Amino acid sequence: MKELIKELTEAFGPSGSEDVVREAIKKHIAGRVDKMRTDPLGNLIALKKGQAESGVEARKIMLAAHMDEIGVIISHVDEKGFLRFARVGGVYPLTLLGSRVVFADGSTGVIGREKPDKPTDFPTIDKMFIDVGAPDKEHLTRKVGDVASFVRPFVDLGKRLTAKAFDDRIGCAILIQTLLELKTTPHDVYFVFTVQEEVGLRGALTSAFGVEPDVAIALDVTTTGDTPEAHPMAVSLGAGPAIKVKDRGMLAHPGVKNWMANTAERLGLPYQFEVLERGTTDAMAIQTSRAGVAAGVISIPCRYVHSPSEMVDYDDVQNAVKLLVGLLSGPVEI
Amino acid sequence: MLLKELSEAFGVSGHEGAVRQLILDEIKDLVDEHHVDALGNLIALKRGSLKARRKVSKVMLAAHMDEVGLMIMHIEKQGSLRFRPVGGIDARVLLATKVLIGDDKVPGVIGVKPIHLLEPKEREQVMRVQDMNIDIGASSKEEAERLVKISDYAAFDTSFSELGGALHTVKGKAFDDRAGCVVLVELLRESYPFDFYGAFTVQEEVGLRGARVAAYSIAPDIAFALEGTICDDLPKKRDISPTTTLGAGPAITIMDRSVIADRRLVDLLVDTAEKNGIPYQFKQPGLGGTDAGAIHLSREGVPSTVVSVPSRYIHSPVCMLSLNDLDNTVRLMREALGKVHELDLSRPQGF
C-alpha cells in the first residue's frame, strides 16, 4: 500500500485541478467496481454493488475522500516577471517560506519574500511572490490563473510516513485499498472521490445530492495533540483510526459513531475518539444533503496538517482499512 | 438608455420589484416564457432552435437585480432615523450621502458632524453605522412616522450621467449588478441553438439567495453569472495587481471566494475573445463572490464561471464603468454562446 500512497501524495491536485489524481485513482479501481462516472464538478463516483444476504438489510452507503489538496494560484505577473499569488484553501504563510511549488506542467517555482520592515514581522501572502527563474517578463510562460502545489517527495520513515497532501490522499488510498480487500458486501457502496473540499466541501455537496445515500462515511485526516507543547487534543499517532464525535462543522451521527466503535471492538482493532476544535470535512456537507444522511467520519491522525510535510502512522492507515472492510462486510447497525 | 433606467431604479435586496418590472417590460416580447418564482427571481426562457438533445442544451445566465442599501430600524424622538446596512457597505462611504426611503421615495441625508466640531481623535476614526442617522427634515417622531416606517428600505439617491471620453465612461449607482442585467437583456435579443434561461435574481448581496433557488428550478447544464465587479485600477505604490482595469474589456473569473470556474468555460471565453479581437482580462483570483457560487453547487453541480463589467467604487453611492467594457461583454458572451453547445463537457471515462 505504500507504493499507492507515494503515487497519490506526489500527484498534482490543488482544489479545482484534480484531474491527475482522478486518473490515477481510476487506474487502480478499474475492473473492481460495477459502475464508474465523473460528475459535472469532477467528482469520481464508483459503485460496488451489494450481494443480497438473508437477514441483512441492504443500505446505500457513500464513502467519501477528497482528491484535492491546498495550493496557490497566480494573481498577478509583475513587470520583472515575479508572480504574486493567492491561496487555494488554507495555506499558512509560514509554511511557504523556503518552499518550492510545482505547476501542472511540472515546472518549478521558488517562494520569495519582500524585505520585512522588522525581522520579527510575520510573513503574509501579499508580501510574497513566486520566482520561476525567468530572466525577465518576456521569457515567462506562466500567467494569471495558473495553479501550483507544494513540492515534497514521499518518505517512508518506517512505522511513520511523511509527504505532502496526506490531507486527503491518505483517505483516497484507504478507499482504494478497501475496495481491493473487500470480498463481498450486502450493501450498494459508492466510493466517492470528491473535489474542492479545501475550498468549502463543494464536491461532497453535489456528489451527495447525486448519490442520495442512506449512510455516509468520510475518510479524512485530523490533527493530533501528541507533539511537544501541542494544543491539547486527545488524538495521537499510532493509537488507531480516530472515530469523529464532533468538529467545528458537524456532530457525527451517534448511531454511525457507535457502529464504528463496536465494529472496531469486535475486530480487536485499536481506535480513538476525535473531538476536533477547528476544521471540518466532507461529512458535514453530506449530512445535510437532501432530506439528511446519517454520516460519520473515520479520521487518520496526522501531524503538521496543511504543511508541505504532513506525517501519519502506517498502522493507523492499515487499521482504518480493516475497520472499513469490517463495516462494509456486515449489517449497518445504527 | 436601459442602463440609466436600471441604475436609477430602486432595488435593495428583498425589494427588487421596480427593477424586475423594468426588465420584464424590456424582455417580455423577446422570450418564449417567463415567470417570477417564490423568492422573486424573474426567470425567462428562450427556447433553442436545435431540437436534438445536445450535451449542452440548457444554459443559465444569471444577473442579480438587487443592490446594497439600508433599512430603517428605529425612529428617534426628534424624528431622525436609525438604520442598518443591507449587504456589504463600508461605513466610510455613507456619511453625507443622499438617500431615498420607501416606496414614496422620501428624500433624506445621512447626517454628518461639521469639521469645526470634530475632536482631533474623531478625525482619525470611522463613525459606526449604528451611530449614524438619516435626516428627513422632520421635526418630531410623529411627523417622521407619517413619511416613513420602520422596515422601510433606503437606496442611494444618485442620478446617472455620461462622462464620455475615450472609454465612454458613465457614473451611477448599483452598476453591481445592473450592468449584468443590461448584458443579460441584450443577450436575450439573440437566438441560440440551446434553451437559454435568463435568471434575474434577487438577494445576491445578502448571500446568493435568489440564485440558489433559481438554479435548483432551472437545473442547467452550464451557467454564467454576469456581474459588475470590483475595479481598483487607480495608481498604486507597489507593482501589485488591480482586481480589474477599466476599459480593458470583460473580466473573466478563474477563482473567487465562492467558485472555482470550470476551465473549459474559461478557455472557451478566452479563445472566443482572441479569435474575435475582443479585449478581455482576468479578474484577480481570490476576491469576491457571486451568484455562480450558489449556482455551481446546485443539485449534482453545474460547471460555471463569471464574466464581469469592471466597475469602480462598487457598493458605494456612485460607481463608474466604461460603456466600451459593457459592449465588449455583450459581444464576448454573444460569440461564446454561439459555440457553447459544441463543448464536450463529459470527462474522459476510460474504463
Side-chain angles (χ1 to χ4, degrees), chain B residues 8-29:
Chain B
E8 292 180 349
F10 191 107
V12 180
S13 310
H15 200 72
E16 299 88 352
V19 179
R20 185 167 55 233
Q21 191 58 50
L22 279 172
I23 293 171
L24 187 56
D25 291 345
E26 198 71 28
I27 67 166
K28 62 179 188 292
D29 298 329

mmCIF file of all heavy atoms in Angstrom, chain B residues 8-29:
data_model
loop_
_atom_site.group_PDB
_atom_site.id
_atom_site.type_symbol
_atom_site.label_atom_id
_atom_site.label_comp_id
_atom_site.label_asym_id
_atom_site.label_seq_id
_atom_site.Cartn_x
_atom_site.Cartn_y
_atom_site.Cartn_z
ATOM 1 N N GLU B 8 -31.017 53.847 -11.961
ATOM 2 C CA GLU B 8 -31.776 54.781 -11.117
ATOM 3 C C GLU B 8 -32.953 54.112 -10.418
ATOM 4 O O GLU B 8 -33.569 54.703 -9.528
ATOM 5 C CB GLU B 8 -32.230 55.982 -11.962
ATOM 6 C CG GLU B 8 -31.038 56.846 -12.391
ATOM 7 C CD GLU B 8 -31.429 58.060 -13.224
ATOM 8 O OE1 GLU B 8 -32.596 58.147 -13.654
ATOM 9 O OE2 GLU B 8 -30.550 58.928 -13.436
ATOM 10 N N ALA B 9 -33.268 52.876 -10.802
ATOM 11 C CA ALA B 9 -34.388 52.167 -10.154
ATOM 12 C C ALA B 9 -33.987 51.740 -8.751
ATOM 13 O O ALA B 9 -32.814 51.569 -8.432
ATOM 14 C CB ALA B 9 -34.795 50.966 -10.988
ATOM 15 N N PHE B 10 -35.004 51.550 -7.935
ATOM 16 C CA PHE B 10 -34.847 51.274 -6.513
ATOM 17 C C PHE B 10 -34.944 49.759 -6.312
ATOM 18 O O PHE B 10 -35.971 49.173 -6.642
ATOM 19 C CB PHE B 10 -36.013 51.985 -5.825
ATOM 20 C CG PHE B 10 -35.945 52.083 -4.343
ATOM 21 C CD1 PHE B 10 -35.663 53.310 -3.738
ATOM 22 C CD2 PHE B 10 -36.210 50.992 -3.541
ATOM 23 C CE1 PHE B 10 -35.639 53.412 -2.356
ATOM 24 C CE2 PHE B 10 -36.180 51.100 -2.160
ATOM 25 C CZ PHE B 10 -35.898 52.317 -1.563
ATOM 26 N N GLY B 11 -33.893 49.123 -5.798
ATOM 27 C CA GLY B 11 -33.970 47.658 -5.701
ATOM 28 C C GLY B 11 -33.011 47.058 -4.697
ATOM 29 O O GLY B 11 -32.179 46.212 -5.024
ATOM 30 N N VAL B 12 -33.119 47.497 -3.451
ATOM 31 C CA VAL B 12 -32.274 46.921 -2.403
ATOM 32 C C VAL B 12 -32.718 45.464 -2.173
ATOM 33 O O VAL B 12 -33.891 45.135 -2.367
ATOM 34 C CB VAL B 12 -32.388 47.758 -1.108
ATOM 35 C CG1 VAL B 12 -31.512 47.180 -0.004
ATOM 36 C CG2 VAL B 12 -31.996 49.212 -1.379
ATOM 37 N N SER B 13 -31.778 44.617 -1.774
ATOM 38 C CA SER B 13 -32.038 43.183 -1.587
ATOM 39 C C SER B 13 -33.360 42.936 -0.855
ATOM 40 O O SER B 13 -33.585 43.494 0.221
ATOM 41 C CB SER B 13 -30.910 42.539 -0.784
ATOM 42 O OG SER B 13 -29.663 42.874 -1.336
ATOM 43 N N GLY B 14 -34.210 42.113 -1.445
ATOM 44 C CA GLY B 14 -35.502 41.802 -0.844
ATOM 45 C C GLY B 14 -36.605 42.720 -1.321
ATOM 46 O O GLY B 14 -37.767 42.540 -0.960
ATOM 47 N N HIS B 15 -36.250 43.687 -2.144
ATOM 48 C CA HIS B 15 -37.223 44.687 -2.582
ATOM 49 C C HIS B 15 -36.932 45.062 -4.031
ATOM 50 O O HIS B 15 -36.751 46.229 -4.366
ATOM 51 C CB HIS B 15 -37.114 45.913 -1.666
ATOM 52 C CG HIS B 15 -38.333 46.788 -1.688
ATOM 53 N ND1 HIS B 15 -39.516 46.415 -1.109
ATOM 54 C CD2 HIS B 15 -38.549 48.008 -2.229
ATOM 55 C CE1 HIS B 15 -40.414 47.386 -1.283
ATOM 56 N NE2 HIS B 15 -39.848 48.360 -1.961
ATOM 57 N N GLU B 16 -36.897 44.029 -4.875
ATOM 58 C CA GLU B 16 -36.406 44.236 -6.238
ATOM 59 C C GLU B 16 -37.517 44.510 -7.247
ATOM 60 O O GLU B 16 -37.271 44.522 -8.459
ATOM 61 C CB GLU B 16 -35.599 42.998 -6.697
ATOM 62 C CG GLU B 16 -34.371 42.674 -5.862
ATOM 63 C CD GLU B 16 -34.645 41.770 -4.661
ATOM 64 O OE1 GLU B 16 -35.833 41.511 -4.376
ATOM 65 O OE2 GLU B 16 -33.693 41.344 -4.005
ATOM 66 N N GLY B 17 -38.749 44.703 -6.773
ATOM 67 C CA GLY B 17 -39.912 44.780 -7.662
ATOM 68 C C GLY B 17 -39.805 45.801 -8.782
ATOM 69 O O GLY B 17 -40.158 45.512 -9.933
ATOM 70 N N ALA B 18 -39.303 46.982 -8.485
ATOM 71 C CA ALA B 18 -39.254 48.037 -9.504
ATOM 72 C C ALA B 18 -38.268 47.669 -10.610
ATOM 73 O O ALA B 18 -38.526 47.900 -11.801
ATOM 74 C CB ALA B 18 -38.844 49.361 -8.857
ATOM 75 N N VAL B 19 -37.155 47.067 -10.215
ATOM 76 C CA VAL B 19 -36.159 46.651 -11.207
ATOM 77 C C VAL B 19 -36.737 45.526 -12.063
ATOM 78 O O VAL B 19 -36.612 45.510 -13.292
ATOM 79 C CB VAL B 19 -34.866 46.175 -10.498
ATOM 80 C CG1 VAL B 19 -33.834 45.717 -11.513
ATOM 81 C CG2 VAL B 19 -34.312 47.284 -9.623
ATOM 82 N N ARG B 20 -37.408 44.603 -11.382
ATOM 83 C CA ARG B 20 -37.993 43.456 -12.090
ATOM 84 C C ARG B 20 -39.002 43.940 -13.138
ATOM 85 O O ARG B 20 -39.040 43.439 -14.256
ATOM 86 C CB ARG B 20 -38.657 42.520 -11.084
ATOM 87 C CG ARG B 20 -39.190 41.243 -11.710
ATOM 88 C CD ARG B 20 -39.557 40.218 -10.652
ATOM 89 N NE ARG B 20 -40.501 40.772 -9.700
ATOM 90 C CZ ARG B 20 -40.326 40.769 -8.383
ATOM 91 N NH1 ARG B 20 -39.261 40.220 -7.845
ATOM 92 N NH2 ARG B 20 -41.229 41.293 -7.597
ATOM 93 N N GLN B 21 -39.820 44.932 -12.777
ATOM 94 C CA GLN B 21 -40.837 45.424 -13.702
ATOM 95 C C GLN B 21 -40.192 46.048 -14.940
ATOM 96 O O GLN B 21 -40.611 45.801 -16.067
ATOM 97 C CB GLN B 21 -41.746 46.437 -12.991
ATOM 98 C CG GLN B 21 -42.981 46.796 -13.799
ATOM 99 C CD GLN B 21 -43.832 45.554 -14.139
ATOM 100 O OE1 GLN B 21 -44.155 44.759 -13.258
ATOM 101 N NE2 GLN B 21 -44.156 45.374 -15.417
ATOM 102 N N LEU B 22 -39.146 46.828 -14.728
ATOM 103 C CA LEU B 22 -38.441 47.444 -15.862
ATOM 104 C C LEU B 22 -37.881 46.382 -16.807
ATOM 105 O O LEU B 22 -37.989 46.493 -18.031
ATOM 106 C CB LEU B 22 -37.272 48.302 -15.345
ATOM 107 C CG LEU B 22 -37.582 49.700 -14.826
ATOM 108 C CD1 LEU B 22 -36.326 50.287 -14.186
ATOM 109 C CD2 LEU B 22 -38.057 50.578 -15.979
ATOM 110 N N ILE B 23 -37.298 45.346 -16.202
ATOM 111 C CA ILE B 23 -36.692 44.287 -17.025
ATOM 112 C C ILE B 23 -37.784 43.509 -17.754
ATOM 113 O O ILE B 23 -37.668 43.211 -18.947
ATOM 114 C CB ILE B 23 -35.821 43.352 -16.149
ATOM 115 C CG1 ILE B 23 -34.604 44.122 -15.627
ATOM 116 C CG2 ILE B 23 -35.386 42.130 -16.937
ATOM 117 C CD1 ILE B 23 -33.788 43.377 -14.592
ATOM 118 N N LEU B 24 -38.849 43.227 -17.042
ATOM 119 C CA LEU B 24 -39.945 42.463 -17.636
ATOM 120 C C LEU B 24 -40.506 43.195 -18.854
ATOM 121 O O LEU B 24 -40.737 42.592 -19.909
ATOM 122 C CB LEU B 24 -41.031 42.228 -16.580
ATOM 123 C CG LEU B 24 -42.177 41.305 -16.979
ATOM 124 C CD1 LEU B 24 -41.641 39.947 -17.425
ATOM 125 C CD2 LEU B 24 -43.125 41.123 -15.806
ATOM 126 N N ASP B 25 -40.717 44.505 -18.725
ATOM 127 C CA ASP B 25 -41.223 45.290 -19.853
ATOM 128 C C ASP B 25 -40.285 45.182 -21.061
ATOM 129 O O ASP B 25 -40.722 45.145 -22.201
ATOM 130 C CB ASP B 25 -41.350 46.780 -19.463
ATOM 131 C CG ASP B 25 -42.459 46.995 -18.442
ATOM 132 O OD1 ASP B 25 -43.290 46.081 -18.272
ATOM 133 O OD2 ASP B 25 -42.475 48.067 -17.796
ATOM 134 N N GLU B 26 -39.001 45.120 -20.764
ATOM 135 C CA GLU B 26 -37.997 45.090 -21.826
ATOM 136 C C GLU B 26 -37.924 43.725 -22.514
ATOM 137 O O GLU B 26 -37.677 43.644 -23.711
ATOM 138 C CB GLU B 26 -36.633 45.439 -21.205
ATOM 139 C CG GLU B 26 -35.567 45.869 -22.158
ATOM 140 C CD GLU B 26 -35.796 47.253 -22.757
ATOM 141 O OE1 GLU B 26 -36.439 48.096 -22.093
ATOM 142 O OE2 GLU B 26 -35.341 47.473 -23.892
ATOM 143 N N ILE B 27 -38.131 42.641 -21.764
ATOM 144 C CA ILE B 27 -37.865 41.306 -22.337
ATOM 145 C C ILE B 27 -39.108 40.511 -22.693
ATOM 146 O O ILE B 27 -38.995 39.483 -23.348
ATOM 147 C CB ILE B 27 -37.014 40.437 -21.371
ATOM 148 C CG1 ILE B 27 -37.791 40.090 -20.096
ATOM 149 C CG2 ILE B 27 -35.685 41.121 -21.051
ATOM 150 C CD1 ILE B 27 -37.153 38.976 -19.279
ATOM 151 N N LYS B 28 -40.287 40.971 -22.281
ATOM 152 C CA LYS B 28 -41.436 40.059 -22.404
ATOM 153 C C LYS B 28 -41.736 39.653 -23.846
ATOM 154 O O LYS B 28 -42.208 38.552 -24.089
ATOM 155 C CB LYS B 28 -42.673 40.614 -21.699
ATOM 156 C CG LYS B 28 -43.211 41.921 -22.212
ATOM 157 C CD LYS B 28 -44.460 42.277 -21.393
ATOM 158 C CE LYS B 28 -45.182 43.472 -21.959
ATOM 159 N NZ LYS B 28 -44.397 44.723 -21.800
ATOM 160 N N ASP B 29 -41.404 40.514 -24.796
ATOM 161 C CA ASP B 29 -41.629 40.155 -26.197
ATOM 162 C C ASP B 29 -40.435 39.426 -26.820
ATOM 163 O O ASP B 29 -40.483 39.037 -27.981
ATOM 164 C CB ASP B 29 -41.944 41.416 -27.007
ATOM 165 C CG ASP B 29 -43.221 42.078 -26.514
ATOM 166 O OD1 ASP B 29 -44.112 41.338 -26.031
ATOM 167 O OD2 ASP B 29 -43.317 43.324 -26.586
#
